[in-house]
Amino acid sequence: MFLQLTKLWLRGGRWVMMFACLIFFAWCYVRAFHSQCLTSPAISAQERVYLNAAIETRPDLTPDFSKSVSQPLNDWLPHRTDGVVRPLWPWLAAWNVAAGQGPATTALTAADLHVLRASKRWVLGLSLGFLFLLGLAAARFFSVPAALLTILTIGFGVLLPSASSFSPDVLFQILFLMIWVCCIAALKRNSLWLYGLIGFISALANLTLPTATTLVGVFIAVSSLRWLWGWVLAHLPHERGTSLWAWRNHWLGMILLVVCHLITVGPMLAYSKEKLGDAGPFYWRWFENESAMQQWAAAHSTRESLQAVPADDRPSYANYVAAHSPEDVKKRFYQGGLKMTESVLQLPWSFDSLPHERGLFVFALASILIMLMLILGFVAPQAAHAGQALHPETAPLALFSLLACVACIFDFGWDMPVYTWGNRHLALYPPLVLSLLWASEALVHRARRRKMRLPVFVIYESVLWALCVLAFWRVIAVLQPASFAA
């Protein structure tokens, strides 16, 4: 009877349950969105900036090809930026702006409210569609509770609270997770199209918010180390392994990555060079606080005003280091990283109210992963062939995940005194959860191939189901009338 039920579950039962859970998840997500993310009569100052940027972008969407083709086409692509506000989100929101609509003032008009509501509905469709596809992809490779836990923690822990404001946070978080997944896939098997995809998606992320460059930089560093190791092995006598990572593809892939990235962000770089005199103005990163940054940006918003400032006096990392002691720089990195960690994991935990803190799931998944590593290393039977061993690229994958987490924590943490609005920093949480589940499921698959005893798998899935129930309590909390914040 047990074998028959197992066959029935594997043949189609798990998919029936998964689709039923996805439909129920979608219903809860839509209901929570309408109850928590409705546009209020008042918006924040930063939301007004994005709204005015969308209104300013609206004329670009109706190009005039009567005199030329290249310039109107270039203007149609997302390109408008002031150095802080990136063009992709205003460009998408501009499709909801009426022709001839004026800038938003203190009192929002009916046209302004229409843009806000329509753009948020677009965010709802984007995030829900992404979560639905993510759930199906996870169910293809993970167990059902692992797939459900993925979309529950990411959807109700990050995307939904980020959708409550008129901002590009949700779009950036989705693109950041896609970059992470593509980097993992490219470290497992470095097909050339994956390099191009990383360059393209990272460019879209940089067109949305600053910045995903740190994540791509970590991938370039780790994959280059992998290339060096592959080159050394290729010139040493050894038995041929089973790795699908081809070291000869690496540098051609790097060229493809850079080309795809630059082609996509090219219009923004050209516009920034023309308007501000600098293709990559990151002046805002080198201020002590948001107020000082906004004052300087308001006084230097044109090419002429920026050129009036000597190059040596413009805000930069070199000038920041020259004006601050090494202890001050270390303190900003340390305090920013600590604040970033506390914000992403919702520390300290109180356990006195719902929804539960995001960090609880990270701690539980990390504990599960450590236990599985110990079981596979000391309890499970030893691998008899390559199919029972760990993936040949396990070391680069683990190195990339650890370095990317640390680098992004300090990178986003450095900006937190200046970049105080929105939930950009929560973009690190979905890759963290997905990586822990991905690694745990990979270890479970290896343990099954080694004929590990059944109780281990029963306990593993029982713990995941318990976490799903805990995550569903978050859903119940979100559906309550009380306000929900990140």
Side-chain angles (χ1 to χ4, degrees):
M1 177 62 69
F2 177 78
L3 291 177
Q4 293 298 327
L5 291 176
T6 302
K7 291 179 181 179
L8 181 63
W9 172 259
L10 293 176
R11 286 176 181 175
R14 64 192 305 271
W15 285 107
V16 172
M17 184 175 184
M18 189 65 197
F19 273 106
C21 292
L22 283 175
I23 293 173
F24 181 66
F25 170 84
W27 178 81
C28 293
Y29 193 85
V30 172
R31 184 174 176 180
F33 177 86
H34 284 291
S35 63
Q36 302 292 339
C37 302
L38 292 178
T39 303
S40 61
I43 59 175
S44 65
Q46 191 59 32
E47 289 177 291
R48 194 179 304 278
V49 170
Y50 281 113
L51 178 57
N52 284 324
I55 295 173
E56 184 181 357
T57 305
R58 179 62 178 86
D60 297 337
L61 305 182
T62 54
D64 181 11
F65 294 106
S66 59
K67 296 182 179 180
S68 64
V69 175
S70 59
Q71 188 60 39
L73 183 60
N74 186 76
D75 292 341
W76 181 84
L77 296 172
H79 65 281
R80 293 182 180 271
T81 180
D82 60 359
V84 179
V85 174
R86 299 300 177 96
L88 186 56
W89 173 245
W91 185 86
L92 292 173
W95 292 94
N96 300 314
V97 176
Q101 181 174 337
T105 57
T106 304
L108 297 178
T109 64
D112 296 333
L113 292 175
H114 168 74
V115 175
L116 297 175
R117 292 193 183 100
S119 299
K120 286 190 175 183
R121 291 192 185 99
W122 182 87
V123 169
L124 168 65
L126 173 68
S127 58
L128 187 57
F130 174 78
L131 289 170
F132 200 91
L133 293 176
L134 178 63
L136 291 178
R140 173 67 178 82
F141 300 100
F142 299 171
S143 60
V144 172
L148 291 176
L149 190 60
T150 300
I151 61 174
L152 283 170
T153 52
I154 294 175
F156 286 90
V158 175
L159 298 186
L160 184 64
S162 299
S164 60
S165 62
F166 181 76
S167 67
D169 295 335
V170 171
L171 182 58
F172 180 77
Q173 290 158 2
I174 292 174
L175 292 171
F176 193 87
L177 178 58
M178 293 175 64
I179 298 170
W180 189 291
V181 172
C182 290
C183 291
I184 293 292
L187 287 171
K188 294 178 68 175
R189 183 174 184 175
N190 61 334
S191 300
L192 292 178
W193 67 271
L194 283 172
Y195 287 94
L197 190 60
I198 293 171
F200 175 69
I201 299 177
S202 62
L204 292 181
N206 285 340
L207 288 174
T208 305
L209 280 176
T211 170
T213 305
T214 302
L215 180 60
V216 179
V218 173
F219 166 75
I220 292 175
V222 174
S223 59
S224 297
L225 288 175
R226 179 63 184 87
W227 166 84
L228 181 61
W229 177 246
W231 181 84
V232 171
L233 291 180
H235 292 79
L236 292 177
H238 68 288
E239 296 182 2
R240 187 176 298 274
T242 59
S243 176
L244 298 176
W245 203 90
W247 64 273
R248 291 182 178 85
N249 285 359
H250 177 65
W251 294 112
L252 181 59
M254 288 290 104
I255 295 174
L256 188 60
L257 186 155
V258 173
V259 169
C260 291
H261 186 95
L262 292 179
I263 289 176
T264 307
V265 300
M268 182 186 73
L269 299 180
Y271 177 83
S272 181
K273 181 68 175 178
E274 178 182 356
K275 180 182 178 181
L276 303 176
D278 191 341
F282 286 98
Y283 305 127
W284 58 273
R285 302 194 75 179
W286 317 119
F287 292 91
E288 293 291 342
N289 51 62
E290 181 183 0
S291 177
M293 181 271 292
Q294 290 181 345
Q295 291 177 4
W296 194 90
H300 303 84
S301 59
T302 63
R303 181 187 182 95
E304 292 73 18
S305 60
L306 277 174
Q307 288 183 340
V309 180
D312 295 338
D313 296 336
R314 296 176 187 175
S316 64
Y317 179 73
N319 289 338
Y320 185 91
V321 172
H324 296 77
S325 65
E327 289 73 19
D328 292 335
V329 177
K330 293 178 182 178
K331 183 178 179 181
R332 178 164 176 176
F333 271 117
Y334 173 76
Q335 291 183 344
L338 182 62
K339 187 176 180 180
M340 173 73 179
T341 303
E342 292 177 348
S343 182
V344 171
L345 301 182
Q346 290 182 293
L347 298 172
W349 301 340
S350 59
F351 299 105
D352 57 353
S353 62
L354 292 175
H356 289 291
E357 288 77 359
R358 283 182 294 267
L360 179 63
F361 297 98
V362 173
F363 176 78
L365 292 175
S367 300
I368 292 173
L369 178 60
I370 293 173
M371 290 300 299
L372 289 173
M373 292 172 62
L374 294 175
I375 290 173
L376 198 66
F378 300 101
V379 180
Q382 296 299 312
H385 51 79
Q388 295 180 351
L390 294 177
H391 194 280
E393 307 304 334
T394 298
L397 295 178
L399 180 61
F400 167 78
S401 300
L402 292 174
L403 287 181
C405 280
V406 173
C408 291
I409 284 174
F410 286 110
D411 180 40
F412 289 174
W414 175 274
D415 297 337
M416 293 193 82
V418 180
Y419 204 104
T420 60
W421 60 88
N423 294 323
R424 179 188 67 145
H425 58 283
L426 295 185
L428 187 60
Y429 184 76
L432 190 58
V433 170
L434 184 60
S435 296
L436 291 172
L437 282 169
W438 200 339
S440 299
E441 290 289 315
L443 293 180
V444 168
H445 290 167
R446 296 307 186 277
R448 283 199 176 107
R449 292 176 183 177
R450 298 186 190 183
K451 309 299 181 182
M452 187 65 191
R453 293 182 178 180
L454 181 63
V456 174
F457 308 119
V458 174
I459 295 174
Y460 168 73
E461 295 215 3
S462 298
V463 173
L464 289 185
W465 279 116
L467 290 176
C468 285
V469 172
L470 186 63
F472 186 72
W473 284 1
R474 171 182 284 272
V475 177
I476 296 175
V478 172
L479 293 177
Q480 299 303 312
S483 61
F484 176 57

